[in-house]
């Protein structure tokens, strides 16, 4: 990690926190931190990756995330310029057993991208107790994108719709307080109803 200064190295923490919010200002910085992450030996902890407020595209976000070697528990990608999540598919698949939080608010995601994400996460195997969320991503922040929530729920299968939790019941990413939680493993997405204007003619990644 010779490309990093001593101060910059502190942003790759021994506590498992990767602090890169507001630090990825251009393609050169993204490439430099990508190389540093490839060389970094993370601690034996679940990692929490802060990439918010960087104006990242999906391609640049995937470049950074795919350079991380350790297991990831939380990703903060809010306040960026994400329009598609297709480039994140391999990352989501690789960390499907440890990823609990995905913060994607304040981007430019359309209805069909949200649908693809919820279908992917909703089909992952469940493994949970009656008080903790399943050991798959169950805390998904998608507010202030371009999602038509009514159209989204119309398109999703009932098996996933019944799991989406919009109300704030005092749940946290590590503890679910919803009723019947042992029988209905929730996908928490509070504030989902708060959106920018939906993009009416947006096509999804498969051109449907």
């Amino acid at each position: 990690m010779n490309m990093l200064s001593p101060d910059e190295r502190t942003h790759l923490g021994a506590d498992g926190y990767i602090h890169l919010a507001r630090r990825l200002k251009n393609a050169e910085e993204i490439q430099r931190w990508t190389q540093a992450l490839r060389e970094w030996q993370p601690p034996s902890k679940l990692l929490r990756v802060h990439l918010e407020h960087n104006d990242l595209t999906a391609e640049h976000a995937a470049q950074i995330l795919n350079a991380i070697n350790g297991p990831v528990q939380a990703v903060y990608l809010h306040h960026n310029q994400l329009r598609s999540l297709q480039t994140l598919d391999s990352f989501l698949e690789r960390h499907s057993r440890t990823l609990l939080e995905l913060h994607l608010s304040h981007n430019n995601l359309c209805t069909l991208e949200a649908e693809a994400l919820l279908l992917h996460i909703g089909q992952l195997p469940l493994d949970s107790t009656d008080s903790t969320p399943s050991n798959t991503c169950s805390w998904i922040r998608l507010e202030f994108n371009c999602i038509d929530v009514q159209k989204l729920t119309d398109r999703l299968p009932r098996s996933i719709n019944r799991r989406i939790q919009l109300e704030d019941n005092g749940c946290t990413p590590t503890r679910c307080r919803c009723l019947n939680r042992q029988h209905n493993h929730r996908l928490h997405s509070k504030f989902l109803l708060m959106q920018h204007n939906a993009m009416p003619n947006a096509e999804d990644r498969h051109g449907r």
Side-chain angles (χ1 to χ4, degrees), residues 137-154:
C137 187
S138 63
W139 192 265
I140 309 164
R141 296 292 294 270
L142 285 166
E143 68 270 19
F144 293 110
N145 279 281
C146 302
I147 299 168
D148 184 326
V149 178
Q150 183 61 58
K151 184 179 292 185
L152 173 64
T153 55
D154 288 346

Side-chain angles (χ1 to χ4, degrees), residues 78-125:
H78 55 89
H79 292 88
N80 279 293
Q81 296 295 327
L82 306 184
R83 291 183 176 273
S84 169
L85 298 175
Q86 185 174 11
T87 58
L88 301 182
D89 282 353
S90 61
F91 171 82
L92 295 174
E93 191 69 34
R94 182 156 57 98
H95 296 277
S96 62
R97 291 191 172 274
T98 59
L99 187 64
L100 291 178
E101 301 175 48
L102 192 54
H103 298 258
L104 296 167
S105 70
H106 299 82
N107 278 285
N108 297 306
L109 298 171
C110 69
T111 306
L112 295 174
E113 287 297 322
E115 178 194 4
L117 175 67
L118 291 170
L119 284 172
H120 175 81
I121 292 173
Q123 292 168 359
L124 293 173

Side-chain angles (χ1 to χ4, degrees), residues 3 6-7 30 35 46 62 117 141 151-155 163 174 184 204:
M3 71 287 296
D7 176 67
I30 292 169
Q35 185 60 37
L46 293 174
L117 175 67
R141 296 292 294 270
K151 184 179 292 185
L152 173 64
T153 55
D154 288 346
R155 292 175 63 94
R163 293 175 56 195
T174 57
N184 186 14
D204 70 352

Side-chain angles (χ1 to χ4, degrees), residues 139 161-172 176-178 186-193:
W139 192 265
N161 266 324
R162 64 190 293 269
R163 293 175 56 195
I164 297 175
Q165 179 65 35
L166 300 181
E167 294 80 17
D168 186 355
N169 290 337
C171 302
T172 70
C176 180
R177 298 181 181 276
C178 298
R186 306 288 181 158
L187 298 172
H188 295 82
S189 191
K190 65 178 182 177
F191 308 130
L192 177 63
L193 295 173

Side-chain angles (χ1 to χ4, degrees), residues 31-46:
Q31 183 58 42
R32 192 166 66 91
W33 281 101
T34 297
Q35 185 60 37
L37 285 166
R38 289 193 182 115
E39 298 178 9
W40 181 52
Q41 295 299 317
S44 299
K45 298 176 181 292
L46 293 174

